[in-house]
Amino acid sequence: MNCVEIINNLRKWAPEELQEPWDASGWQIKLADRDVTNVVVAMDVVPEVVDLAAEVGAELILTHHPFLFGGLSNVAEETTKGAMVVDLIRRGISVYSAHTNMDKAKGGVNDQWIDKLGLKNVRVLSEEDELGIIGENHMVLADLKAVFQAEGIDNVRGYGVKKEAVETIAFVGGSGADYIDEAALQGADVLITGDVKHHDGQHAAEIGLMVLDIGHFHSEKAILMAMARWVEEISGARAHVVMNSPFVFEI
C-alpha cells in the first residue's frame, strides 16, 4: 500500500473536515506515491523523529500535532524546521498530521480515555465544537492516581477544589482549560486535561471544579499506539512509535 492509499483510509477514520477551523491537519509534506514498508508515528515532527525515520527507512511519518502549524514563510536550511523539511524531502519521506479531527474521531484521543477511566453514559462535553467527553464513574483520588500511574503519568498537578471522590468526570485531550466552564456547567466533579495555568485553577476554584493537569503530551499519547496498530492492520507496514516527547523532561 502506498502513502496516499494509507492516508485516504486514515481520512475515513478521522475526516479532515472534523478539525477545528484554526487547525492545520492534513498533508504536511506529500511526495510521490511510494509503497510504504515502515511508518514512524509520533506526537510531533522533531529532529529525533526525522532521524528515526531515516534510520528505519520510513516512507511516511504520521503525527498528531501538525508539523507546519501556522505555516512557513520560507524554508531556510540553517533553521531547525527548515533543515527537517529539506532532509525529509531529500529522503522521500512524506508527513501527515491528524490533530483535532483525531481528537473527535471514534476511537480517537478522547475515546481512548473512556475505558481507562471506566466511564459510563459518555457524551460529548462541548456540543458546539464536539470536543471532549464527560461520563460517570465513582472514583476516589487514589483510583485516579492509579489510572495515571498505569499510563506512566507520575506528575499530576491539581487545581481548583480538591475532592476526595468524584462521580462525573470530564476529559479533554491536549490544552483543555478553555472547557472549565463547560465542564462545570455539565455537572462534572473533575476535568482532566493538560496545559492548565494558575489563573485557570483560580477560576476552577471559584466555580467549585477540580482540575487535574496530567500534561499535554500524556493526555494524548495513547492515540499514538492506536494509530500504530491501525497502520499495521490496514497496510501491513511496520509502525515505529515514539512514545516520549524529546523536548519535555523532568529535573
Side-chain angles (χ1 to χ4, degrees), residues 18 22 36 62 65 76 84 86 103 120 122 136 151 200 205 220 228:
L18 289 180
W22 49 262
V36 177
L62 288 179
H65 293 155
M84 287 191 289
V86 171
D103 289 339
K120 297 179 173 26
V122 179
E136 299 168 7
E151 296 299 311
D200 299 323
E220 298 178 323

Side-chain angles (χ1 to χ4, degrees), residues 113-120 122 136-139 147:
W113 282 87
I114 293 175
D115 289 337
K116 297 180 192 304
L117 294 167
L119 299 182
K120 297 179 173 26
V122 179
E136 299 168 7
N137 187 18
H138 176 80
M139 304 183 80
V147 169

Side-chain angles (χ1 to χ4, degrees), residues 23-162:
D23 200 3
S25 294
W27 284 107
Q28 310 293 298
I29 298 178
K30 183 181 180 183
L31 301 176
D33 299 350
R34 301 179 64 191
D35 286 338
V36 177
T37 58
N38 289 277
V39 178
V40 170
V41 181
M43 189 67 70
D44 301 275
V45 177
V46 293
E48 292 86 348
V49 169
V50 176
D51 290 344
L52 175 61
E55 178 184 334
V56 301
E59 297 85 8
L60 176 65
I61 295 175
L62 288 179
T63 68
H64 183 48
H65 293 155
F67 176 39
L68 302 179
F69 191 79
L72 285 177
S73 58
N74 61 73
V75 177
E77 196 170 4
E78 64 268 21
T79 68
T80 299
K81 182 155 286 188
M84 287 191 289
V85 171
V86 171
D87 194 21
L88 288 163
I89 292 174
R90 283 175 176 164
R91 295 179 183 277
I93 302 172
S94 296
V95 179
Y96 183 89
S97 303
H99 191 210
T100 52
N101 52 323
M102 186 58 78
D103 289 339
K104 302 176 185 181
K106 183 66 176 176
V109 172
N110 292 323
D111 280 5
Q112 293 294 316
W113 282 87
I114 293 175
D115 289 337
K116 297 180 192 304
L117 294 167
L119 299 182
K120 297 179 173 26
N121 301 320
V122 179
R123 58 192 186 275
V124 174
L125 176 61
S126 172
E127 293 289 349
E128 181 178 352
D129 53 24
E130 300 181 342
L131 280 173
I133 55 171
I134 184 169
E136 299 168 7
N137 187 18
H138 176 80
M139 304 183 80
V140 298
L141 277 179
D143 297 330
L144 289 167
K145 185 175 181 179
V147 169
F148 300 146
Q149 289 180 333
E151 296 299 311
I153 307 171
D154 295 318
N155 295 302
V156 178
R157 184 174 292 274
Y159 292 90
V161 178
K162 184 177 182 180

Side-chain angles (χ1 to χ4, degrees), residues 147-202:
V147 169
F148 300 146
Q149 289 180 333
E151 296 299 311
I153 307 171
D154 295 318
N155 295 302
V156 178
R157 184 174 292 274
Y159 292 90
V161 178
K162 184 177 182 180
K163 301 176 183 180
E164 293 302 326
V166 297
E167 301 287 343
T168 305
I169 300 169
F171 174 87
V172 179
S175 302
D178 288 346
Y179 295 88
I180 286 175
D181 283 324
E182 187 66 30
L185 182 65
Q186 295 293 331
D189 299 305
V190 60
L191 169 64
I192 301 169
T193 190
D195 292 347
V196 180
K197 298 178 182 179
H198 175 83
H199 293 294
D200 299 323
Q202 182 179 8

